[in-house]
Amino acid sequence: MKDNRTAAVTKQMFKRLSFRPPAEMIAGESVPMWRDVLRRLVSNKLAMAGVVFLVLLAVMAIIGPIISPHDYFTNNLDRTNEPPSSEYWFGTDSLGRDLFSRIWMGARISLIVGLAAAVIDLVVGVIYGGIMGFVGGRTDEVMNKASEILYSIPYLLVVILLLVVLEPSMWTIILALSVTGWINMSWIVRGQILQLKNQEYVLAARSLGASGSRILFKHLIPNTLGPIIVTLTLTVPSAIFSEAFLSFLGLGVQSPAASWGTMINDALASWTLYPWQMLFPALLISLTMLAFNVFGDGLRDAFDPKLKK
Amino acid sequence: MSVSTVTKTENGFRPTGASGGPLLEVDRLSKFFPVGGGQTLKAVNDLSLTVAKGETLGVVGESGCGKSTAGRTIMRLYEPTAGETRFEGRNIYKLKGAELKKLRREMAMIFQDPYASLNPRFNITDIIAEPLDIHGIAGSSKERKRKVEELLELVGLRPEHANRYPHEFSGGQRQRIGIARALAVRPKFIVCDEPISALDVSIQAQVVNLLQELQKSLGLTYLFIAHDLSMVKHISDRVAVMYLGKMVELAESSELYANPKHPYTQALLSAIPIPDPQIEAQKERIVLSGDLPSPINPPSGCPFRTRCPHATEKCAAEAPEFREVKDGHWAACHYA
């Protein structure tokens, strides 16, 4: 009986229906990844405080020296070492120069150095690291060794060697930065790309005939953007601090140009008598470092919320 | 037309073999990877097969048998160690520059993991239009948008989702996007590298049906790599069985399933569950002993002899030739 039934039902009795279920609809609002990142960043209050501080710093660096009634380099020997007042908002230094103007001139130098470090990181570090990771093999080995050798040269030594041939200035510091500053970034990018280049979407692009540069710049580097930006928020403050440090030692910006480092050095001799001369540049260096660090932490969490504990 | 190519198109059989000459011929293809210490991993070893125009050739084998490597080498994502792949008579490993780029429009690939095969930073339009952009055939941005919408409709997705990102779609939808991308340049031949193994069973059927519909309407030829034997039987005209980088058996799908010659194929087929508890309980299952040998150091002679229930001394001494044991039925076994 059972066998009869199975025998009676044959493949020929079935017909494939042409019915096609309607395509599924996505109900939620479309959220591009960058907007998701931005939303998480904005909801991080500490990171936003850092951003607000950095924006204010940039604005003051631009307009500060302009709104001040005094310029930053004129000596006024009748008004030396004055405390903050309605005329000299942050007081004056031992040569009677307006500290308010000098602070914001120093901020300009800090931000220019930071910006230069970022550009070097992005241009040299990302491309060098991208090529190391993407080409691989012998090229990777040679380029990686070269970067390791460069990395082993202390930054201070590079600056001192450069000072043998160049005048100490902001540009010397930027030049020294461009020798070694991008190496960390290149290693980060290399590691990321080594990991990403065997992803199926990269194979898919290759199977479609994409060129090497298209794969590198359209697929690999954009997917490394998170770590690149996070590394950037660490490189920039360390470059700013290096500038302040070298200027403090007298290896960087020279008077009458103002840098936070030189200002602290100037204030050092008499800081017990005129503490505001030390307070303002020291406070600004500390706050800038802090702002970059909380901003960088916030960005890292925003790019990869899983990393947050 | 020889006897083996005469088929009934209506009831699920399609022409096989040399109706218009093979579209793709793989000739003694090998791909070895250096693994350090002077050793090589023989992922694909001396593989030969042909795929006729309009046909689906299924490739099955257990994990690590080299079927994905074979698919990628046939697509020239890997350069071969030895051998040739001829597409419409031209050896694809000899092509360069513009000619290679032109070949990329004729062969496409669908990948296994629908989560890894779409760039998370591209929206759907950019993903599907990527082949159009690469080959400079997108036209104006309006034209590009229209083509993408057409392709989305072709694979059963809503055109209004074109601006969304991959993470907003389900696995099955993502696989459809991958199929739309593969179809964008109107290829003749598609390598499907386990396109359904990462999907739910219900979605698997949808995707396979879509692939079959597209084959019918666009005249596509598939190399269908999979490890699900019943699905391969459903979609393939002919099936090739791989073991340890080598082809062990190749036959028309119905012939292979009804009459397997190689002991490895017999063991594989005995593992397919039958949806009837009584038959399933009575069924004799061939259980292979031992593990898959390492492709770095494969056994001498026949690669399957270490696990074969019928192995003899001859099997250790001498590698069996891949020969036609019956009309259109090939096997690599001394005793087939």
Short mmCIF file of all heavy atoms in Angstrom, two decimals, chain A residues 143-164:
data_model
loop_
_atom_site.label_atom_id
_atom_site.label_comp_id
_atom_site.label_asym_id
_atom_site.label_seq_id
_atom_site.Cartn_x
_atom_site.Cartn_y
_atom_site.Cartn_z
N MET A 143 61.24 47.62 2.92
CA MET A 143 60.68 48.88 3.41
C MET A 143 60.50 48.84 4.92
O MET A 143 60.70 49.84 5.61
CB MET A 143 59.34 49.16 2.72
CG MET A 143 59.50 49.57 1.27
SD MET A 143 57.90 49.74 0.44
CE MET A 143 57.39 51.37 0.97
N ASN A 144 60.12 47.68 5.44
CA ASN A 144 59.90 47.56 6.88
C ASN A 144 61.22 47.71 7.63
O ASN A 144 61.30 48.40 8.65
CB ASN A 144 59.24 46.20 7.16
CG ASN A 144 58.55 46.18 8.50
OD1 ASN A 144 58.33 47.22 9.11
ND2 ASN A 144 58.22 44.99 8.96
N LYS A 145 62.28 47.07 7.11
CA LYS A 145 63.60 47.20 7.74
C LYS A 145 64.05 48.65 7.72
O LYS A 145 64.56 49.17 8.71
CB LYS A 145 64.63 46.33 7.01
CG LYS A 145 64.70 44.90 7.53
CD LYS A 145 65.46 44.80 8.84
CE LYS A 145 65.30 43.44 9.49
NZ LYS A 145 63.93 43.11 9.93
N ALA A 146 63.85 49.32 6.57
CA ALA A 146 64.25 50.72 6.45
C ALA A 146 63.54 51.56 7.50
O ALA A 146 64.16 52.40 8.16
CB ALA A 146 63.93 51.24 5.04
N SER A 147 62.24 51.31 7.71
CA SER A 147 61.51 52.11 8.69
C SER A 147 62.00 51.79 10.10
O SER A 147 62.05 52.68 10.95
CB SER A 147 60.00 51.89 8.55
OG SER A 147 59.66 50.58 8.88
N GLU A 148 62.38 50.53 10.34
CA GLU A 148 62.88 50.18 11.67
C GLU A 148 64.20 50.89 11.96
O GLU A 148 64.44 51.34 13.08
CB GLU A 148 63.08 48.66 11.78
CG GLU A 148 61.80 47.94 12.17
CD GLU A 148 61.93 46.42 12.08
OE1 GLU A 148 63.07 45.92 12.07
OE2 GLU A 148 60.88 45.76 12.02
N ILE A 149 65.05 50.99 10.92
CA ILE A 149 66.33 51.68 11.11
C ILE A 149 66.08 53.16 11.42
O ILE A 149 66.65 53.71 12.36
CB ILE A 149 67.21 51.52 9.85
CG1 ILE A 149 67.66 50.05 9.73
CG2 ILE A 149 68.41 52.46 9.90
CD1 ILE A 149 68.29 49.71 8.42
N LEU A 150 65.18 53.79 10.65
CA LEU A 150 64.86 55.19 10.90
C LEU A 150 64.31 55.38 12.31
O LEU A 150 64.63 56.35 13.00
CB LEU A 150 63.82 55.67 9.90
CG LEU A 150 64.33 56.25 8.59
CD1 LEU A 150 63.17 56.69 7.74
CD2 LEU A 150 65.24 57.45 8.88
N TYR A 151 63.47 54.42 12.73
CA TYR A 151 62.82 54.53 14.03
C TYR A 151 63.83 54.47 15.17
O TYR A 151 63.61 55.02 16.23
CB TYR A 151 61.79 53.41 14.17
CG TYR A 151 60.85 53.56 15.33
CD1 TYR A 151 59.82 54.50 15.27
CD2 TYR A 151 60.98 52.79 16.48
CE1 TYR A 151 58.94 54.65 16.33
CE2 TYR A 151 60.10 52.94 17.54
CZ TYR A 151 59.08 53.87 17.46
OH TYR A 151 58.21 54.02 18.50
N SER A 152 64.94 53.76 14.92
CA SER A 152 65.93 53.58 15.98
C SER A 152 66.75 54.85 16.23
O SER A 152 67.46 54.93 17.21
CB SER A 152 66.85 52.41 15.64
OG SER A 152 67.62 52.75 14.51
N ILE A 153 66.65 55.83 15.31
CA ILE A 153 67.38 57.08 15.54
C ILE A 153 66.54 57.97 16.46
O ILE A 153 65.42 58.29 16.14
CB ILE A 153 67.61 57.84 14.21
CG1 ILE A 153 68.30 56.94 13.20
CG2 ILE A 153 68.43 59.10 14.45
CD1 ILE A 153 68.37 57.55 11.83
N PRO A 154 67.10 58.38 17.63
CA PRO A 154 66.29 59.21 18.53
C PRO A 154 65.96 60.55 17.87
O PRO A 154 66.78 61.15 17.18
CB PRO A 154 67.19 59.40 19.74
CG PRO A 154 68.24 58.38 19.62
CD PRO A 154 68.40 58.07 18.18
N TYR A 155 64.73 60.99 18.14
CA TYR A 155 64.24 62.23 17.57
C TYR A 155 65.13 63.41 17.93
O TYR A 155 65.49 64.24 17.09
CB TYR A 155 62.82 62.44 18.09
CG TYR A 155 62.15 63.68 17.63
CD1 TYR A 155 61.95 63.92 16.27
CD2 TYR A 155 61.71 64.64 18.54
CE1 TYR A 155 61.33 65.07 15.84
CE2 TYR A 155 61.09 65.78 18.11
CZ TYR A 155 60.89 66.00 16.78
OH TYR A 155 60.29 67.14 16.35
N LEU A 156 65.57 63.45 19.19
CA LEU A 156 66.40 64.55 19.68
C LEU A 156 67.69 64.63 18.87
O LEU A 156 68.16 65.71 18.50
CB LEU A 156 66.70 64.33 21.17
CG LEU A 156 67.11 65.57 21.95
CD1 LEU A 156 66.02 66.63 21.88
CD2 LEU A 156 67.37 65.20 23.41
N LEU A 157 68.25 63.47 18.58
CA LEU A 157 69.50 63.40 17.81
C LEU A 157 69.28 63.97 16.42
O LEU A 157 70.12 64.72 15.90
CB LEU A 157 69.96 61.94 17.73
CG LEU A 157 71.39 61.72 17.28
CD1 LEU A 157 72.34 62.24 18.33
CD2 LEU A 157 71.63 60.24 17.02
N VAL A 158 68.15 63.62 15.81
CA VAL A 158 67.85 64.14 14.47
C VAL A 158 67.79 65.66 14.51
O VAL A 158 68.38 66.35 13.67
CB VAL A 158 66.51 63.55 13.95
CG1 VAL A 158 66.16 64.15 12.60
CG2 VAL A 158 66.59 62.05 13.86
N VAL A 159 67.12 66.20 15.52
CA VAL A 159 66.99 67.66 15.64
C VAL A 159 68.37 68.29 15.80
O VAL A 159 68.71 69.25 15.11
CB VAL A 159 66.08 68.03 16.83
CG1 VAL A 159 66.02 69.54 17.00
CG2 VAL A 159 64.69 67.46 16.63
N ILE A 160 69.18 67.73 16.68
CA ILE A 160 70.51 68.30 16.94
C ILE A 160 71.36 68.25 15.67
O ILE A 160 72.04 69.22 15.32
CB ILE A 160 71.19 67.59 18.13
CG1 ILE A 160 70.41 67.91 19.41
CG2 ILE A 160 72.64 68.00 18.27
CD1 ILE A 160 70.79 67.08 20.60
N LEU A 161 71.27 67.12 14.95
CA LEU A 161 72.03 67.00 13.69
C LEU A 161 71.55 68.03 12.68
O LEU A 161 72.36 68.65 11.97
CB LEU A 161 71.88 65.59 13.11
CG LEU A 161 72.67 64.51 13.84
CD1 LEU A 161 72.33 63.13 13.28
CD2 LEU A 161 74.18 64.77 13.72
N LEU A 162 70.24 68.24 12.63
CA LEU A 162 69.71 69.22 11.68
C LEU A 162 70.16 70.62 12.05
O LEU A 162 70.39 71.46 11.19
CB LEU A 162 68.18 69.15 11.65
CG LEU A 162 67.58 68.06 10.79
CD1 LEU A 162 66.08 68.04 10.93
CD2 LEU A 162 67.96 68.27 9.33
N LEU A 163 70.31 70.89 13.38
CA LEU A 163 70.70 72.22 13.83
C LEU A 163 72.11 72.55 13.42
O LEU A 163 72.49 73.72 13.40
CB LEU A 163 70.55 72.33 15.35
CG LEU A 163 69.11 72.41 15.84
CD1 LEU A 163 69.06 72.47 17.35
CD2 LEU A 163 68.40 73.60 15.22
N VAL A 164 72.91 71.51 13.11
CA VAL A 164 74.27 71.75 12.65
C VAL A 164 74.23 72.52 11.33
O VAL A 164 75.04 73.41 11.08
CB VAL A 164 75.02 70.42 12.47
CG1 VAL A 164 76.39 70.64 11.88
CG2 VAL A 164 75.11 69.69 13.79
#
